[in-house]
Amino acid sequence: EAGVTQFPSHSVIEKGQTVTLRCDPISGHDNLYWYRRVMGKEIKFLLHFVKESKQDESGMPNNRFLAERTGGTYSTLKVQPAELEDSGVYFCASSHDRHPGNTIYFGEGSWLTVV
Amino acid sequence: AQTVTQSQPEMSVQEAETVTLSCTYDTSESDYYLFWYKQPPSRQMILVIRQEAYKQQNATENRFSVNFQKAAKSFSLKISDSQLGDAAMYFCAYRSALNSGYALNFGKGTSLLVTP
């Protein structure tokens, strides 16, 4: 069974440009999460989808970040315009249901560098 | 918000030895879950072990075990008989069982080096 896959694995863009990160969750997982780790800091929650609906987007830093999950399958996270402080690793994760004790499966992350 | 603290940025252990990674957390909730995740270099993060706050017995998964001290809000991970494949970044995480958000709150991580 394929795990959570993310694309691109690495991206270097200039300040002011746009980047779109994609995540394909494990097949059948209704719950999809985005997290971010800025260098030297904790991994921080960004948002949570249940199917195509945003369940919790309390961690989104500002309106330059837009997440979508059309059709409840894959998700995209767009940063527009990118700023230097957006550099970091963006993790996507998925789970079958929302029980807090259940395993959340993570992707390898998308490394974003804004120069 | 709940905070998770991992006070050891880096740890080193020799193959076949035992190492303990520290984690403390701050919460006013009574029902929650604690997790240790492992991320090898350039690989995805995987769940190592989980503990439900209501269970007094410490969780064990093969060579991995935890020392869960609820009153002290401490959740350390012990790796026995360390292997080269255990080298990774280890993250401690907290997840509320009461809050509908269910977001994982992570510590900053501990980088574990295993030497032959």
Side-chain angles (χ1 to χ4, degrees):
Chain A
E1 179 183 284
V4 177
T5 56
Q6 294 187 242
F7 182 83
S9 57
H10 292 81
S11 182
V12 180
I13 63 171
E14 292 185 350
K15 177 182 172 181
Q17 289 186 322
T18 298
V19 63
T20 300
L21 310 178
R22 172 172 170 144
C23 169
D24 286 78
I26 292 173
S27 177
H29 281 193
D30 288 339
N31 295 270
L32 186 148
Y33 313 83
W34 284 98
Y35 287 81
R36 174 175 78 168
R37 185 183 186 208
V38 172
M39 197 55 63
K41 298 201 172 182
E42 297 88 347
I43 300 170
K44 292 287 191 184
F45 168 80
L46 296 179
L47 88 160
H48 170 206
F49 284 99
V50 177
K51 297 185 180 178
E52 68 275 10
S53 300
K54 291 176 184 173
Q55 182 71 25
D56 180 359
E57 53 184 329
S58 60
M60 294 289 265
N62 52 60
N63 59 9
R64 296 186 293 102
F65 289 74
L66 175 65
E68 296 180 322
R69 193 183 182 193
T70 306
T73 54
Y74 71 91
S75 174
T76 58
L77 179 64
K78 183 162 70 173
V79 185
Q80 180 184 30
E83 297 289 344
L84 298 179
E85 63 264 25
D86 299 333
S87 296
V89 186
Y90 290 77
F91 294 101
C92 179
S94 72
S95 66
H96 183 260
D97 61 45
R98 284 185 287 174
H99 189 281
N102 280 355
T103 302
I104 295 179
Y105 297 87
F106 283 81
E108 293 185 15
S110 289
W111 290 76
L112 173 64
T113 302
V114 183
V115 296
Chain B
Q2 292 78 22
T3 57
V4 178
T5 302
Q6 293 179 248
S7 59
Q8 306 152 317
E10 293 180 351
M11 290 285 284
S12 181
V13 63
Q14 272 194 319
E15 229 179 333
E17 297 296 310
T18 296
V19 65
T20 299
L21 308 184
S22 303
C23 173
T24 59
Y25 57 95
D26 184 27
T27 186
S28 58
E29 298 176 336
S30 58
D31 194 10
Y32 50 87
Y33 288 81
L34 296 164
F35 305 85
W36 278 98
Y37 275 87
K38 165 187 176 182
Q39 187 179 26
S42 301
R43 300 281 301 279
Q44 63 201 144
M45 198 155 46
I46 58 173
L47 179 66
V48 175
I49 198 165
R50 89 189 86 209
Q51 175 82 41
E52 183 176 3
Y54 269 111
K55 290 189 176 178
Q56 293 186 345
Q57 186 172 7
N58 289 324
T60 299
E61 290 286 345
N62 300 315
R63 297 181 296 106
F64 298 86
S65 61
V66 299
N67 183 4
F68 173 48
Q69 302 289 328
K70 190 173 184 180
K73 297 178 184 175
S74 171
F75 182 60
S76 61
L77 174 70
K78 185 171 83 171
I79 306 174
S80 303
D81 186 25
S82 297
Q83 301 175 0
L84 294 177
D86 295 333
M89 183 71 82
Y90 286 81
F91 294 98
C92 178
Y94 172 104
R95 197 180 193 197
S96 171
L98 304 173
N99 186 313
S100 61
Y102 300 140
L104 282 165
N105 292 281
F106 285 92
K108 287 187 178 181
T110 297
S111 179
L112 179 66
L113 174 67
V114 182
T115 58

